[in-house]
Amino acid sequence: MTRDKALIAVILGAAVTAAPAVSMAQARGDTGWYVGASVGQSKAKVADCAGFSSCDTKAAAFGILGGYQINRNFAAELGYHDFGRVTLSGPGSANIKANAAELVGLATYSFANPFSVYAKLGAYRAEGKLSPPPESGSASLKDRNTDLTFGFGAQCHVTREAGVRAEWQRYKNVGGDDTGGKHDIDVISIGLIWRFH
């Protein structure tokens, strides 16, 4: 009888010990590392052309990212975005290029498998560079700043590993006095995500 009790105790102990491992294994389907890349269009919200007769504030943009899915609803991402170039012209001409590294948190809601929507909020560190034409003899000027970024998007899980995103994101107050002032930059993009399981 003592032997039977000992055997039952061992089985119960094994079940109690295994339960968290099973739960973790099930949860692992919603967690893990992922990487991604995106392409799209940026638009600088420039109120005026800072003394130029015209300015092209739209440009091709691209980004790369790495993230960790903490659970089904929350993730953290580290990314880099190149916003392309704003062209100012007449009289004279100049180009402003900008890029930013960012750290953001994502809150995700799945409404119909395999579709989900998400919102993101975080901070960025940007660099803007004003490049006057070579004939002006002036050196390029740079500004660096840190501020808030936020956005929202939708995602479709094409396979267990691969997903497609469509996204809008705003970077607040990019730039500084040396690059024509601070301006919001909006980015609309489409991206691919690859999850590691």
mmCIF file of all heavy atoms in Angstrom, residues 23-24 28 57 82 100 106 119 129-130 139 141 164 189 194:
data_model
loop_
_atom_site.group_PDB
_atom_site.id
_atom_site.type_symbol
_atom_site.label_atom_id
_atom_site.label_comp_id
_atom_site.label_asym_id
_atom_site.label_seq_id
_atom_site.Cartn_x
_atom_site.Cartn_y
_atom_site.Cartn_z
ATOM 1 N N SER A 23 1.839 24.460 -20.667
ATOM 2 C CA SER A 23 1.301 25.809 -20.862
ATOM 3 C C SER A 23 2.283 26.694 -21.598
ATOM 4 O O SER A 23 1.916 27.451 -22.485
ATOM 5 C CB SER A 23 0.978 26.454 -19.507
ATOM 6 O OG SER A 23 -0.025 25.712 -18.866
ATOM 7 N N MET A 24 3.571 26.584 -21.217
ATOM 8 C CA MET A 24 4.593 27.387 -21.901
ATOM 9 C C MET A 24 4.714 26.976 -23.359
ATOM 10 O O MET A 24 4.870 27.814 -24.238
ATOM 11 C CB MET A 24 5.938 27.242 -21.192
ATOM 12 C CG MET A 24 5.999 27.997 -19.870
ATOM 13 S SD MET A 24 7.527 27.687 -18.972
ATOM 14 C CE MET A 24 8.715 28.359 -20.104
ATOM 15 N N ARG A 28 4.077 29.408 -26.477
ATOM 16 C CA ARG A 28 5.162 29.722 -27.383
ATOM 17 C C ARG A 28 4.679 29.993 -28.799
ATOM 18 O O ARG A 28 5.344 30.651 -29.572
ATOM 19 C CB ARG A 28 6.178 28.579 -27.387
ATOM 20 C CG ARG A 28 7.394 28.899 -26.566
ATOM 21 C CD ARG A 28 8.474 27.848 -26.706
ATOM 22 N NE ARG A 28 9.018 27.575 -25.407
ATOM 23 C CZ ARG A 28 8.916 26.424 -24.771
ATOM 24 N NH1 ARG A 28 8.310 25.404 -25.327
ATOM 25 N NH2 ARG A 28 9.438 26.272 -23.584
ATOM 26 N N THR A 57 7.790 67.384 -51.232
ATOM 27 C CA THR A 57 7.873 66.844 -49.872
ATOM 28 C C THR A 57 7.591 65.341 -49.802
ATOM 29 O O THR A 57 7.608 64.761 -48.723
ATOM 30 C CB THR A 57 6.886 67.574 -48.943
ATOM 31 O OG1 THR A 57 5.556 67.411 -49.445
ATOM 32 C CG2 THR A 57 7.224 69.053 -48.861
ATOM 33 N N ASP A 82 14.429 54.992 -43.516
ATOM 34 C CA ASP A 82 15.002 56.026 -44.379
ATOM 35 C C ASP A 82 13.834 56.740 -45.038
ATOM 36 O O ASP A 82 13.028 56.120 -45.735
ATOM 37 C CB ASP A 82 15.912 55.386 -45.431
ATOM 38 C CG ASP A 82 16.676 56.420 -46.238
ATOM 39 O OD1 ASP A 82 16.035 57.366 -46.756
ATOM 40 O OD2 ASP A 82 17.900 56.298 -46.360
ATOM 41 N N ALA A 100 15.712 57.646 -39.377
ATOM 42 C CA ALA A 100 15.474 57.528 -37.936
ATOM 43 C C ALA A 100 15.578 56.086 -37.485
ATOM 44 O O ALA A 100 15.174 55.154 -38.199
ATOM 45 C CB ALA A 100 14.088 58.069 -37.578
ATOM 46 N N LEU A 106 3.970 47.562 -29.640
ATOM 47 C CA LEU A 106 2.780 47.302 -30.451
ATOM 48 C C LEU A 106 1.707 46.632 -29.607
ATOM 49 O O LEU A 106 2.004 45.712 -28.846
ATOM 50 C CB LEU A 106 3.101 46.379 -31.634
ATOM 51 C CG LEU A 106 3.606 47.018 -32.925
ATOM 52 C CD1 LEU A 106 5.052 47.471 -32.744
ATOM 53 C CD2 LEU A 106 3.510 46.036 -34.072
ATOM 54 N N ALA A 119 -1.760 48.968 -33.102
ATOM 55 C CA ALA A 119 -1.347 50.357 -32.896
ATOM 56 C C ALA A 119 0.056 50.332 -32.318
ATOM 57 O O ALA A 119 0.432 49.390 -31.609
ATOM 58 C CB ALA A 119 -2.302 51.063 -31.942
ATOM 59 N N LYS A 129 19.813 65.897 -42.899
ATOM 60 C CA LYS A 129 21.003 66.468 -43.542
ATOM 61 C C LYS A 129 20.576 67.361 -44.693
ATOM 62 O O LYS A 129 19.893 66.921 -45.622
ATOM 63 C CB LYS A 129 21.904 65.339 -44.043
ATOM 64 C CG LYS A 129 23.193 65.823 -44.682
ATOM 65 C CD LYS A 129 24.042 64.640 -45.115
ATOM 66 C CE LYS A 129 25.349 65.092 -45.745
ATOM 67 N NZ LYS A 129 26.165 63.944 -46.209
ATOM 68 N N LEU A 130 20.963 68.639 -44.636
ATOM 69 C CA LEU A 130 20.691 69.604 -45.691
ATOM 70 C C LEU A 130 21.910 69.673 -46.591
ATOM 71 O O LEU A 130 23.008 70.004 -46.150
ATOM 72 C CB LEU A 130 20.389 70.981 -45.098
ATOM 73 C CG LEU A 130 20.228 72.140 -46.080
ATOM 74 C CD1 LEU A 130 19.005 71.921 -46.975
ATOM 75 C CD2 LEU A 130 20.113 73.464 -45.341
ATOM 76 N N ALA A 139 28.986 73.910 -46.960
ATOM 77 C CA ALA A 139 29.053 72.541 -46.439
ATOM 78 C C ALA A 139 27.652 72.058 -46.082
ATOM 79 O O ALA A 139 26.739 72.852 -45.850
ATOM 80 C CB ALA A 139 29.950 72.500 -45.211
ATOM 81 N N LEU A 141 24.733 70.607 -43.761
ATOM 82 C CA LEU A 141 24.372 70.847 -42.374
ATOM 83 C C LEU A 141 23.551 69.675 -41.846
ATOM 84 O O LEU A 141 22.759 69.090 -42.588
ATOM 85 C CB LEU A 141 23.553 72.141 -42.251
ATOM 86 C CG LEU A 141 24.249 73.409 -42.725
ATOM 87 C CD1 LEU A 141 23.273 74.583 -42.716
ATOM 88 C CD2 LEU A 141 25.462 73.730 -41.852
ATOM 89 N N VAL A 164 2.094 39.798 -43.928
ATOM 90 C CA VAL A 164 2.122 41.013 -44.734
ATOM 91 C C VAL A 164 1.474 42.134 -43.924
ATOM 92 O O VAL A 164 0.438 41.920 -43.288
ATOM 93 C CB VAL A 164 1.367 40.831 -46.068
ATOM 94 C CG1 VAL A 164 1.380 42.116 -46.879
ATOM 95 C CG2 VAL A 164 1.957 39.679 -46.860
ATOM 96 N N SER A 189 3.310 52.545 -45.740
ATOM 97 C CA SER A 189 4.174 51.479 -46.229
ATOM 98 C C SER A 189 3.477 50.121 -46.265
ATOM 99 O O SER A 189 2.456 49.913 -45.617
ATOM 100 C CB SER A 189 5.435 51.379 -45.353
ATOM 101 O OG SER A 189 5.080 51.028 -44.021
ATOM 102 N N TRP A 194 8.742 38.049 -41.021
ATOM 103 C CA TRP A 194 9.105 36.629 -40.933
ATOM 104 C C TRP A 194 9.333 36.261 -39.476
ATOM 105 O O TRP A 194 10.163 36.853 -38.810
ATOM 106 C CB TRP A 194 10.358 36.333 -41.751
ATOM 107 C CG TRP A 194 10.665 34.864 -41.768
ATOM 108 C CD1 TRP A 194 11.499 34.187 -40.926
ATOM 109 C CD2 TRP A 194 10.127 33.887 -42.657
ATOM 110 N NE1 TRP A 194 11.512 32.850 -41.235
ATOM 111 C CE2 TRP A 194 10.671 32.633 -42.303
ATOM 112 C CE3 TRP A 194 9.214 33.943 -43.719
ATOM 113 C CZ2 TRP A 194 10.360 31.452 -42.976
ATOM 114 C CZ3 TRP A 194 8.908 32.772 -44.389
ATOM 115 C CH2 TRP A 194 9.472 31.548 -44.009
#
